[in-house]
Amino acid sequence: MNASLKKFYIIAWLFGLVFYFLDYVVRSAPAVMIPELVNNFSTTELKLVSLIGTYYYTYSTCSLIAGMALDKFGGKKSLFAGALILGIGCLLFLASSYSGGVAGRLLQGAGCAFAFPGCVYLASKGFSSKSLATAVGFTQCIGMLGGTAGQFIVGPWVEEGVNIDTFWLWSGIITVITAFCLFLVIPGEKQSEVQPGDAVKKVGYLEPYKIVFKNPQSWLCGIISGLLFAPTTIFAMTWGVAFFEKDKGFMFHDAAITSAMVAFGWVFGCPLLGFITDKIGRRKPVLIGGAILMIFSFLQLLYLPELYPAKVSMFTFGLGSGAAMIPYSIIKEANPDYVKGSATGAINFITFGVTTLVSPVFSRWFGKSLEASSGEMHFQSSLLFWIAGIVLAVLISFLLKETGSKAQLQTLNA
């Protein structure tokens, strides 16, 4: 691919970051408007949290469709479709019925499934392999800025009495506009631009996934990423505000800010850890180091809470959880280049498949008992649940093959 075309893909990637930013705003905002959504959909808090969680059902399954679409149809059509679906899902949240809310949340998950794979796809065409992990880390940084905005900014708006319908209306309008911008700026992919190894695109739609899913390293990457993602997506972005309010006795404003500090930590952790792993040419040490930082942050919050405030603990946790993005680089390096779209779709599917499985377990064990058993012991047991998952991720990480640039160089010289 010539240098000028690479520049066009970098510009397209920047527009893709806007889509990904909106993805995380929409993903995290419901956590700070639970009472308002309960009234809007005429339901209970527990059912409302279940409604919010339906996002991950379509997000995980449509990640496979997104990866397939990127490999088969390119970025232009795929990202346009994803952003348009997300915009429609936001507008459906204006409905006052529970079924309308479920439909809207399902469409939000389906549309958002195209955001990250699309950005990685565009980045892989615009950046060299030596800087790909940094670009992927920066992509996630922008997403987490959206997650932070979805709580830091939207939370105070709701607290000040801003109508949630206004938020969902403008979210829908801006996302639809973004969809058309993506369609205009992403280069059209002609057959002449296809790389020699991309001849696999002529075979069946499922062939790239056969390649990816037959590779055990792909499954390890997805499971590790899922176990590291789950505490941020399920705890911090869904349940965190309620747990800090009811278990720790925080005021709503402080609970919202404390939970949002995880996403704020990601803003710095994702590009920082991505840069470090590119710099040292190794993936596994940074991945394991980030996970260990997550464990120590939660242990400090539980057993040494006076050492520094909960906001700092959650920020540090978010900083370390940026390691969840490193498997996204590993899976691309562990599979052929011509299935890069499907590889990202596959890891998204496995990652959020783990989230989809863990979410109802956490809700049943700890969410249902939040009102009746609220207090320090309830908070402690809920965090120990997540620590156990992170420890499991560290253990599985030792089974991964190192794919960093130094390992690739050693392989070539062997």
Side-chain angles (χ1 to χ4, degrees):
M1 187 182 296
N2 60 55
S4 62
L5 188 58
K6 279 182 175 287
K7 289 179 182 179
F8 280 114
Y9 273 110
I10 292 174
I11 294 170
W13 170 72
L14 293 173
F15 276 86
L17 295 182
V18 177
F19 178 20
Y20 196 43
F21 178 88
L22 293 168
D23 164 357
Y24 262 93
V25 170
V26 171
R27 187 185 306 195
S28 63
V32 297
M33 55 177 72
I34 287 177
E36 290 77 13
L37 289 172
V38 166
N39 292 332
N40 187 54
F41 295 131
S42 301
T43 186
T44 64
E45 184 172 304
L46 191 61
K47 286 184 177 179
L48 191 278
V49 172
S50 297
L51 182 154
I52 294 171
T54 59
Y55 173 99
Y56 296 106
Y57 298 156
T58 47
Y59 187 92
S60 58
T61 53
C62 288
S63 292
L64 293 176
I65 298 172
M68 185 189 303
L70 287 163
D71 281 336
K72 288 293 178 180
F73 306 114
K76 180 184 282 285
K77 294 178 181 178
S78 302
L79 271 79
F80 169 73
L84 188 63
I85 291 168
L86 173 58
I88 295 169
C90 290
L91 295 174
L92 277 176
F93 243 47
L94 296 170
S96 297
S97 65
Y98 184 83
S99 58
V102 170
R105 196 62 173 165
L106 288 171
L107 285 179
Q108 288 168 23
C112 287
F114 288 79
F116 185 73
C119 286
V120 173
Y121 178 86
L122 295 174
S124 67
K125 288 181 172 290
F127 295 93
S128 68
S129 59
K130 290 183 179 180
S131 57
L132 181 60
T134 304
V136 171
F138 186 77
T139 299
Q140 192 61 38
C141 161
I142 297 299
M144 283 301 153
L145 275 175
T148 304
Q151 293 182 315
F152 264 129
I153 298 175
V154 179
W157 281 354
V158 172
E159 195 176 14
E160 291 169 8
V162 173
N163 193 311
I164 61 170
D165 285 350
T166 303
F167 168 79
W168 291 110
L169 174 63
W170 281 105
S171 295
I173 291 172
I174 292 170
T175 307
V176 170
I177 292 172
T178 302
F180 284 95
C181 289
L182 285 165
F183 189 79
L184 291 173
V185 301
I186 296 175
E189 291 175 285
K190 301 174 183 176
Q191 192 62 36
S192 60
E193 296 165 3
V194 176
Q195 299 299 314
D198 287 356
V200 74
K201 292 184 179 181
K202 296 178 181 178
V203 302
Y205 283 87
L206 296 179
E207 189 64 30
Y209 281 119
K210 290 180 182 177
I211 295 169
V212 176
F213 283 121
K214 281 183 179 179
N215 185 350
Q217 293 292 303
S218 300
W219 288 97
L220 295 176
C221 286
I223 293 168
I224 292 164
S225 187
L227 290 170
L228 298 181
F229 252 118
T232 64
T233 53
I234 300 172
F235 181 71
M237 291 187 181
T238 305
W239 285 102
V241 176
F243 271 75
F244 279 109
E245 270 191 295
K246 294 170 184 177
D247 279 352
K248 301 290 285 184
F250 286 21
M251 298 297 291
F252 172 80
H253 178 78
D254 289 336
I257 296 299
T258 302
S259 296
M261 290 304 288
V262 171
F264 193 52
W266 268 72
V267 171
F268 296 94
C270 291
L272 176 63
L273 296 183
F275 173 77
I276 293 172
T277 188
D278 276 341
K279 192 72 175 176
I280 68 173
R282 299 283 181 185
R283 307 299 192 207
K284 289 175 63 174
V286 184
L287 171 61
I288 294 169
I292 291 172
L293 180 60
M294 294 170 71
I295 293 169
F296 280 121
S297 299
F298 266 4
L299 289 175
Q300 177 274 319
L301 183 60
L302 287 178
Y303 300 113
L304 294 170
E306 283 80 29
L307 190 61
Y308 42 82
K311 293 175 185 176
V312 178
S313 306
M314 296 298 278
F315 174 82
T316 308
F317 182 86
L319 194 71
S321 65
M325 295 312 303
I326 295 174
Y328 279 77
S329 295
I330 296 174
I331 195 172
K332 290 174 66 59
E333 294 160 341
N335 285 285
D337 286 343
Y338 54 78
V339 295
K340 51 182 167 277
S342 295
T344 307
I347 190 172
N348 250 6
F349 170 74
I350 302 169
T351 296
F352 288 95
V354 172
T355 300
T356 303
L357 293 173
V358 172
S359 182
V361 175
F362 182 79
S363 299
R364 180 177 292 275
W365 287 2
F366 304 104
K368 280 188 175 180
S369 57
L370 187 56
E371 291 284 357
S373 308
S374 58
E376 285 292 339
M377 289 301 296
H378 185 264
F379 189 78
Q380 183 180 101
S381 59
S382 66
L383 257 61
L384 287 173
F385 174 86
W386 297 119
I387 290 172
I390 300 166
V391 170
L392 180 59
V394 172
L395 295 175
I396 297 173
S397 297
F398 288 106
L399 300 176
L400 277 177
K401 293 178 181 177
E402 179 59 66
T403 62
S405 58
K406 284 191 176 179
Q408 292 178 25
L409 188 61
Q410 288 172 354
T411 303
L412 289 173
N413 293 333

